Each structure stands twice: as C-alpha cells, then as structure tokens.
C-alpha cells in the first residue's frame, strides 16, 4: 500500500507544481493551440492557449513510478514497465502531431498515414512484448485468453490476441483524443478510470493466485497486479495535478501528446489486469463520444443528413446552448456512473465465481 500512496502523492505534487512551469515555457516559445474555423465559435477565444500539456503528467507519472520503486527498494515489474512504455510511446506520437501543428503551422499535424504508422508500431510492440517476460509461475503480463472481469476459458492464440490488443489501444487512444474537446473533460474522466484501476490492482493483488495456499482457491492469475495499481495511482495523481490548470478556463491543453498517452495507458492497464472488455464500461464516456462520431459519419455518408449538430457529442450540446462547464460536469457524472457500474460488475464477478 505504501507504493500506491507514494506514487499517487508524488505524481500529484510533480504535476501540480510542474505544469505552471511548463505553461510558462510553452507560452514563451509561442506554442499555442490552433483552433479550427469549423469548430464551435466559442472556442476561438482559446486560440493561443499553450498545448502539449500532456508532457507534464507523462513526466510526472514516470518520475512518480521510478521514485516510488527507489524509495521502497522494490524493483520495477514487467507489467508496469510495459504500460509506461505504451503511454510514453503514444505520447511521443502525439507530441510529433502537436509539434507540427503549433510549430510548423500545419493545422492537421501529422499526416494520417504517419500518425497511424506511429500508433501501430507502438501498439503492436506492446502487444507482442506483453506475451513475453513470464514469471516463475509462467504467467506473462498479458494473456491470449480474452477477458471481462477475468480470463475466459478459451484462447484466441497469439496472432489474434495481438490484433485485438492493437484494436483496443487504437480505439481507446483515439477515444480519449475525441473526448479532449472541452476544458478538463478528458482529464477528469481519465482520473476516475485510473482510480478504478488502482482499486482493481489492489483487489487482484490481495486475491492473487500467487498468494493462495491451495490450488482450488479462487484467485486472479495476473502477473503484477500491485505494480499496475502503482502505475494507475501515479497516473491518477498526475492527472489530478494537471486538472487544476486544465479545468475551465484552461491555462493549458493536453494536446494529442496527452490524449494518446492516456488512452494507451488505459488500454495497457486493462490488458495487463485481464479486464479488457470491462474497459468499455469503465471508460464508458470515451466509448459514447467515439460512437457519436461513428454515427455522425455513417449517417451523413448513407443519407446525407447529420444526427447531431456537430460531432463529437460534446460539441452538439455546445451548439444547443449548454455552457462548457455544464457539459463537462454532466459528462463527468455519466463517466462516474460508468465507473461505479463497472466496479460493481467486477466485484459481482468475484462473488459469483
């Protein structure tokens, strides 16, 4: 438990006090947000707000994790390192996208093929590596058995697993990216899911098969559940600190640097904690907003009509006259309900096992 408390507190303090330093640096360099002309008119006032703020909580999370390990004298574990690799790798792809937008003044950032290639390299590398590094019980960070609250009894094999893992990573990273359209919306929603994964990691550690006395006892076959809780806690603390500056009116935006990193971290935690399909519920707001874009595009292509005034969904309500703060708070409530239901199902799965 000390590791979890240390990582969360260190992440919070570093992000809370490090973000304003980053704001000054980015503002001095003139790295301000580009606002598209076809977006909501109210967003034009945000032009020039420093972006690439994801750098703050990525660095805070990395430092919090490794500092915690040094303080308690415990070596980093494979599962935690893999999730951090996925987060940092996708954050780098997002950073390149943001850099091209704000420095090279190309509004669309990385070309679609280049961005997809970067996400693919990082995502596929994580998926392949997660099936390596077995412990003394032969358990690897990920499993070829797909999962909801625990692994299903059937295996899809390594090839299909890698494809499924890549789909999860791409879907969640792009889902957080689409949600990051209003001040504090994606950050606050992510905090809730990281809080859920902190709890899941603690629970799985306390009920780990490595700790049971008899082989017949029900337990979780997860390689490093405590380490996953440490990573989730560091992310939760770092995002909390960033939210202080990112909430309305935002002093800094996370940019693709942050949104791709957060989405990757969420997918990595789900894969390594064997709760892959549960993530669709725990991250319900990201799923809903992604579906709104899919529905909008499909409807327009098939019928020439739009279902929403604008997609993603948060902009639809902006055009209906809702204030930004009202939308963010109500969407946070939706996300909180998704997390509550998801954790309820996670616990119910244990009780009924």
């Amino acid at each position: 438990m000390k590791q979890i408390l240390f990582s969360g507190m260190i992440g919070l303090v570093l992000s809370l006090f490090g973000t304003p330093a980053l704001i000054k640096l980015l503002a001095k360099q003139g790295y301000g947000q580009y606002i598209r002309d076809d977006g909501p008119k109210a967003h034009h006032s945000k032009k020039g707000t420093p972006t690439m703020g994801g750098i703050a909580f990525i660095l805070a999370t990395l430092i919090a994790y490794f500092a915690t390990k040094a303080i308690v004298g415990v070596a980093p574990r494979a599962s935690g390192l893999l999730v951090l690799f996925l987060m940092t790798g996708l954050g780098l792809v997002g950073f390149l996208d943001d850099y091209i937008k704000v420095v090279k003044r190309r509004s669309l950032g990385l070309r679609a093929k280049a961005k997809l290639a970067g996400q693919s390299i990082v995502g596929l590398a994580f998926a392949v590596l997660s099936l390596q590094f077995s412990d003394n019980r032969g358990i690897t960070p990920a499993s070829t058995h797909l999962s909801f609250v625990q692994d299903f009894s059937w295996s899809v094999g390594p090839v299909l697993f890698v494809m499924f893992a890549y789909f999860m990573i791409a879907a969640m990273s792009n889902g957080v990216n689409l949600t990051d359209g209003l001040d504090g919306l994606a950050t606050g929603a992510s905090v809730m899911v990281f809080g859920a994964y902190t709890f899941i990691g603690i629970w799985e550690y306390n009920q780990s098969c490595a700790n049971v006395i008899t082989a017949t006892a029900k337990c979780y076959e997860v390689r490093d559940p405590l380490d996953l809780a440490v990573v989730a806690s560091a992310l939760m603390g770092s995002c909390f600190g960033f939210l202080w500056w990112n909430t309305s009116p935002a002093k800094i935006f996370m940019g693709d640097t942050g949104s791709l990193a957060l989405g990757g971290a969420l997918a990595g935690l789900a894969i390594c904690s064997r709760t892959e399909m549960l993530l669709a519920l725990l991250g319900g707001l990201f799923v809903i907003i992604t579906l709104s874009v899919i529905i909008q595009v499909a409807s327009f292509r098939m019928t020439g009509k739009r279902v929403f005034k604008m997609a993603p969904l948060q902009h639809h309500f902006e055009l209906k006259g809702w204030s930004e703060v009202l939308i963010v708070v109500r969407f946070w409530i939706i996300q909180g309900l998704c997390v509550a239901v998801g954790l309820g199902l996670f616990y119910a799965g244990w009780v009924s096992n």
Side-chain angles (χ1 to χ4, degrees):
M1 288 299 294
K2 288 192 297 184
Q3 292 188 62
I4 295 165
L5 293 174
F6 284 151
S7 65
M9 288 303 300
I10 294 171
L12 172 64
V13 171
L14 288 176
S15 184
L16 184 62
F17 293 101
T19 301
L22 180 63
I23 293 172
K24 291 180 181 178
L25 175 63
L26 294 173
K28 184 178 180 179
Q29 298 297 324
Y31 293 170
Q33 178 70 37
Y34 171 84
I35 304 297
R36 294 174 58 179
D37 292 333
D38 58 352
K41 302 287 186 195
H43 287 205
H44 290 180
S45 63
K46 301 180 181 183
K47 185 176 182 180
T49 302
T51 187
M52 297 190 284
I55 295 171
F57 57 73
I58 291 173
L59 290 177
T61 299
L62 291 172
I63 295 172
Y65 176 81
F66 288 107
T68 296
K69 293 298 180 180
I71 291 170
V72 300
V74 176
R77 305 293 184 184
S79 298
L81 292 174
L82 282 170
V83 174
L84 293 175
F85 160 76
L86 182 59
M87 174 194 73
T88 307
L90 290 179
L92 179 59
V93 174
F95 173 79
L96 293 174
D97 190 41
D98 288 333
Y99 185 83
I100 291 172
K101 287 177 184 175
V102 301
V103 178
K104 301 299 183 181
R105 303 296 179 185
R106 197 169 78 201
S107 62
L108 296 179
L110 275 175
R111 301 192 186 281
K113 289 183 178 179
K115 191 173 183 179
L116 179 62
Q119 289 177 293
S120 299
I121 291 170
V122 176
L124 291 173
F126 168 84
V128 172
L129 290 172
S130 67
L131 293 177
Q132 314 303 316
F133 309 109
S134 58
D135 62 10
N136 55 8
R137 296 178 297 130
I139 307 298
T140 55
S143 168
T144 58
H145 295 75
L146 301 186
S147 59
F148 183 58
V149 295
Q150 289 194 62
D151 282 347
F152 296 124
S153 59
W154 38 269
S155 170
V156 297
V159 175
L160 285 179
F161 165 78
V162 168
M163 293 173 61
F164 175 74
Y166 169 68
F167 169 77
M168 272 192 66
I169 293 165
M172 189 52 62
S173 59
N174 287 311
V176 177
N177 186 243
L178 291 171
T179 304
D180 182 35
L182 299 181
D183 295 353
L185 178 58
T187 310
S190 297
V191 164
M192 298 182 205
V193 190
F194 289 131
Y197 272 109
T198 302
F199 170 81
I200 288 172
I202 294 171
W203 183 269
E204 289 182 338
Y205 174 73
N206 289 334
Q207 315 297 335
S208 172
C209 292
N211 300 331
V212 299
I213 298 175
T214 62
T216 57
K218 61 180 181 180
C219 56
Y220 293 96
E221 285 285 12
V222 177
R223 190 191 190 283
D224 307 300
L226 183 60
D227 217 51
L228 295 175
V230 172
V231 172
S233 178
L235 279 160
M236 180 175 63
S238 299
C239 286
F240 254 132
F242 182 76
L243 184 60
W244 181 272
W245 305 101
N246 182 234
T247 193
S248 182
K251 302 291 189 242
I252 188 170
F253 301 135
M254 70 170 68
D256 283 12
T257 306
S259 59
L260 295 186
L262 291 182
L266 289 171
L269 287 168
I271 291 168
C272 291
S273 65
R274 315 291 174 86
T275 56
E276 295 150 349
M277 296 180 186
L278 184 64
L279 180 60
L281 184 52
L282 291 173
L285 180 65
F286 305 126
V287 174
I288 291 168
I289 288 177
T290 302
L291 287 175
S292 73
V293 175
I294 295 172
I295 292 169
Q296 183 86 324
V297 172
S299 175
F300 187 76
R301 287 183 177 178
M302 290 188 294
T303 67
K305 297 180 180 180
R306 292 179 172 85
V307 176
F308 307 105
K309 291 179 179 292
M310 181 179 288
L313 188 61
Q314 61 269 32
H315 299 320
H316 167 79
F317 289 105
E318 274 192 289
L319 296 182
K320 284 178 67 69
W322 290 22
S323 70
E324 182 171 3
V325 173
L326 179 64
I327 297 168
V328 170
V329 172
R330 286 182 174 174
F331 276 35
W332 280 352
I333 292 171
I334 292 171
Q335 176 57 44
L337 291 172
C338 290
V339 167
V341 173
L343 287 178
L345 288 176
F346 176 78
Y347 180 70
W350 169 260
V351 172
S352 62
N353 188 2

